[in-house]
Amino acid sequence: MSHPWPDGSGKPWPTGRLPWRSSLAVAVVQLVGTGFAAHGQPARTDLGPGAAVLLLAGPVLLLARHRRPGAVVVGTAVVTVVYLAAGYPYGPVFVSVVLACVAAVAAGRRVAAWSALGLLWGSHLLMGHWLYHRLPPDGDGPVGWGQEVVVAAWAVAIVAGSELVRVRREQWARERAEREAAARRRADEERLRIARELHDVLAHSISVINVQAGVGLALLDQDPEQARTALTTIKAASKEALGEVRQVLDTLRTSGASGAAPRSPAPGLDRLEELTGQAADAGLAVRVEVEGVRTALPPGADLAAFRIVQEALTNIIRHSGSRNARVLLSYAPGGLELRVDDDGPAAGGGATGGGNGLVGMRERAAALGGTVEAGPRPDGGFRVRARIPLKGGRSTP
């Protein structure tokens, strides 16, 4: 079991641990310091066993300041009032009250801390101006008002210092929580990115493999040469998939361990011809058209554009009865528009562009401030249209 204690780390204070080191230090300071202070105050009551008990009572109470901060700050104030009422010399007896007040305010027991300081100051005022002739030492006179101002200023300074400690601790706790939340957010985004990459790589390659495996099985006896071609395509697609998966995992490993850059470049539109070749191996003829001045894209936009085209072609292979597709790359000064069309119809009762692939395309575009729209065309077939804003792109010949 533990009790909450805002120590800046946001962690609870264990009940088995007591702040005995700091309490012992306070006890030494109060005993030794008061002994030195007494030499300059011969008119006050001599120190004795009673004074030692009172000087030690405050540090003993401080042992519980993290568990019962409100009770401790009031208790140390009462002990200090009794010490002053007994006529003992002024000195570091107030250290216990200061430390207890800081702990109470930091723990949120502000009313208790202020009340304890008010009790201490009010008692000192009462004893110094009205009860001095009834309290030891004998022949003591009233306290000057200048000293009362000093005591009041001291109390205000304690409150201000305690509030400053509380504010700083709350600020540290907030900053720590924000750092942890940011770290969790980055980890979630990285997991999502890796999952998206793996989905796109595997979905495309396995779709090609699935189609070619069906062709190979159908032609194994009638046309062994064509079946051999299908198996060769399967081998190439699986090798390509393994390479890309290894690259994705390499990126995850290097960025997680040392922040180093991946050893292989991420795929981009410069591999579009390779992508259309893989689609052709799966029986899908792809025509690519380019409008505007072709621009070298930033790595993130280049990868997103490639993956969007890849996923759109994969969906056509898997879900469309069409054996033809058209890819349009439209470059403009402010961005790139991608359009992937097929003539349909949907195969197997499905719709092209459905499932997690469309979600992944939209996430990729949204991460760059772009959009993805997908749906049936009015004249039949299916269309995927993506818009990716570009910044700082440069023209390529």
Side-chain angles (χ1 to χ4, degrees):
M1 181 179 178
S2 60
H3 297 276
W5 167 245
D7 62 348
S9 66
K11 297 179 180 179
W13 188 276
T15 56
R17 293 176 55 189
L18 295 176
W20 61 268
R21 289 188 180 89
S22 58
S23 299
L24 178 61
V26 171
V28 172
V29 168
Q30 291 193 167
L31 284 173
V32 177
T34 303
F36 282 108
H39 293 301
Q41 304 175 60
R44 305 292 293 177
T45 304
D46 293 336
L47 294 175
V53 169
L54 291 173
L55 289 172
L56 290 174
V60 170
L61 288 173
L62 290 178
L63 290 171
R65 67 183 183 271
H66 297 314
R67 300 178 180 180
R68 298 287 185 270
V72 169
V73 71
V74 173
T76 54
V78 170
V79 168
T80 305
V81 168
V82 173
Y83 176 90
L84 296 177
Y88 293 121
Y90 291 98
V93 64
F94 300 101
V95 174
S96 293
V97 181
V98 173
L99 195 56
C101 184
V102 171
V105 172
R109 305 295 194 272
R110 303 164 74 183
V111 174
W114 297 343
S115 300
L117 289 178
L119 169 67
L120 182 58
W121 182 76
S123 299
H124 184 271
L125 187 67
L126 186 64
M127 290 184 292
H129 293 276
W130 288 279
L131 300 178
Y132 61 91
H133 56 280
R134 297 182 181 180
L135 298 172
D138 295 334
D140 195 14
V143 175
W145 286 102
Q147 185 176 348
E148 293 298 344
V149 172
V150 172
V151 173
W154 173 83
V156 171
I158 293 178
V159 171
S162 302
E163 290 291 342
L164 179 61
V165 170
R166 179 187 64 81
V167 170
R168 288 299 299 163
R169 291 192 176 192
E170 290 179 354
Q171 182 179 352
W172 291 334
R174 281 196 304 271
E175 290 173 354
R176 182 189 181 95
E178 289 171 0
R179 287 195 301 269
E180 291 175 350
R184 286 194 299 269
R185 213 162 36 241
R186 286 193 298 270
D188 291 341
E189 291 171 355
E190 182 66 9
R191 282 194 293 268
L192 178 61
R193 186 185 70 82
I194 296 300
R196 205 159 46 217
E197 287 291 314
L198 291 176
H199 171 273
D200 291 350
V201 170
L202 295 177
H204 176 74
S205 300
I206 290 175
S207 295
V208 172
I209 290 171
N210 180 62
V211 171
Q212 292 300 318
V215 172
L217 286 174
L219 300 176
L220 186 61
D221 296 325
Q222 294 90 343
D223 192 345
E225 190 59 34
Q226 186 66 26
R228 181 187 299 275
T229 301
L231 291 175
T232 302
T233 302
I234 289 174
K235 179 180 179 181
S238 60
K239 181 179 179 181
E240 175 72 16
L242 287 173
E244 291 207 37
V245 168
R246 188 177 296 113
Q247 178 184 338
V248 170
L249 297 179
D250 242 7
T251 303
L252 177 62
R253 186 179 299 111
T254 55
S255 62
S258 61
R263 291 189 287 271
S264 303
L269 291 179
D270 57 335
R271 290 178 54 183
L272 191 56
E273 184 176 351
E274 177 185 335
L275 184 61
T276 58
Q278 292 174 354
D281 291 337
L284 180 66
V286 182
R287 185 173 78 250
V288 179
E289 299 176 1
V290 178
E291 293 181 353
V293 180
R294 191 156 190 169
T295 304
L297 307 180
D302 204 16
L303 174 62
F306 177 83
R307 292 303 189 200
I308 289 172
V309 174
Q310 182 184 52
E311 180 62 29
L313 294 179
T314 300
N315 284 335
I316 295 174
I317 293 172
R318 295 172 60 190
H319 302 299
S320 176
S322 175
R323 294 298 87 195
N324 295 283
R326 294 178 300 281
V327 176
L328 174 65
L329 308 178
S330 181
Y331 291 87
L336 169 68
E337 179 174 319
L338 302 170
R339 201 172 68 204
V340 182
D341 290 276
D342 74 276
D343 297 327
T352 57
N356 292 328
L358 180 56
V359 173
M361 285 191 280
R362 285 175 173 156
E363 288 175 347
R364 285 185 183 277
L368 298 169
T371 59
V372 169
E373 300 171 0
R377 295 187 335 217
D379 57 345
F382 200 85
R383 169 173 291 172
V384 174
R385 174 182 290 172
R387 295 181 180 87
I388 300 176
L390 301 178
K391 296 180 181 178
R394 56 187 190 279
S395 300
T396 58

